[in-house]
Amino acid sequence: MKKLIICVICAICGLSSASAQKFALVDMEYILKNIPAYERANEQLNQTSKQWQAEVDALTTEAQTLYKNYQNEVVFLSKEQKKAKQDAIVEKEKQAADLKKKYFGPEGELYKKRNALMSPIQDEIYNAIKDISDTRGYQLVLDRASDTGIIFGSPKIDISSEVLSKLGYSN
């Protein structure tokens, strides 16, 4: 009898703790495409990236030109002249590599600029999702755009349009 009572109590506790969890989906690609500030920031980053890449390419081209000229003149140069030209080529290649690292490296200017432009937009989206989650009682919100593990998500639990509305953008 004791075992039966203990089993019943455990079953009741288990049922009460296994309350339904609520989930929602968002499509970050869809949300970001519908935010004009994100599109403007992205375009600005693309323009800056192209400009900086042109600077790096110019230095790389200069190094290649110096190398081609060196190859054409190598038979006519003394040892000192060869060494000077080789040093100039290496220095130009180093300048190009340093500039590329400065602009496009892991902590480079493009990374910093992307953070400065995108972080406020991402924070605003996060806060809107958090507000909706708190209001509706969602324990988990998944991004269907970035998670390849989601095979199917019902449109009923997709709150992307609601997030856009909360941000003040119509879809």
Side-chain angles (χ1 to χ4, degrees):
M1 186 69 176
K2 242 182 184 179
K3 287 184 181 181
L4 181 62
I5 293 173
I6 292 174
C7 287
V8 170
I9 290 173
C10 287
I12 290 172
C13 290
L15 289 175
S16 65
S17 68
S19 61
Q21 294 183 354
K22 292 178 74 176
F23 302 96
L25 294 175
V26 293
D27 187 341
M28 287 300 290
E29 286 180 15
Y30 170 76
I31 292 170
L32 291 172
K33 283 180 185 175
N34 285 287
I35 297 177
Y38 175 79
E39 293 297 324
R40 286 191 301 272
N42 224 5
E43 183 58 35
Q44 186 177 354
L45 286 171
N46 287 338
Q47 292 296 328
T48 302
S49 177
K50 286 178 185 175
Q51 177 185 349
W52 288 344
Q53 186 61 48
E55 290 178 33
V56 171
D57 290 345
L59 281 177
T60 303
T61 302
E62 285 181 42
Q64 290 172 346
T65 302
L66 286 174
Y67 181 72
K68 286 177 186 175
N69 290 342
Y70 169 77
Q71 284 183 322
N72 291 336
E73 301 169 353
V74 72
V75 292
F76 304 113
L77 300 174
S78 67
K79 286 185 180 182
E80 294 82 25
Q81 291 173 325
K82 286 180 186 178
K83 176 76 171 131
K85 295 232 182 225
Q86 290 170 351
D87 290 345
I89 293 167
V90 169
E91 179 60 29
K92 194 58 77 173
E93 288 173 341
K94 184 179 180 313
Q95 287 175 0
D98 289 346
L99 190 61
K100 185 174 184 175
K101 182 179 177 186
K102 175 186 171 192
Y103 287 151
F104 303 109
E107 295 293 323
E109 296 297 319
L110 187 64
Y111 172 80
K112 292 175 187 173
K113 189 167 185 124
R114 176 172 281 121
N115 257 1
L117 292 173
M118 298 299 185
S119 288
I121 296 168
Q122 291 170 335
D123 291 345
E124 191 177 2
I125 293 169
Y126 170 79
N127 290 331
I129 292 171
K130 186 174 181 325
D131 289 346
I132 293 168
S133 296
D134 290 344
T135 303
R136 290 199 174 170
Y138 296 128
Q139 282 89 18
L140 179 67
V141 178
L142 299 171
D143 178 10
R144 73 176 346 150
S146 66
D147 191 359
T148 56
I150 298 175
I151 296 171
F152 172 78
S154 172
K156 294 176 186 175
I157 63 170
D158 190 328
I159 60 169
S160 302
S161 296
E162 189 175 343
V163 171
L164 281 173
S165 295
K166 184 149 186 82
L167 293 170
Y169 301 103
S170 60
N171 47 342

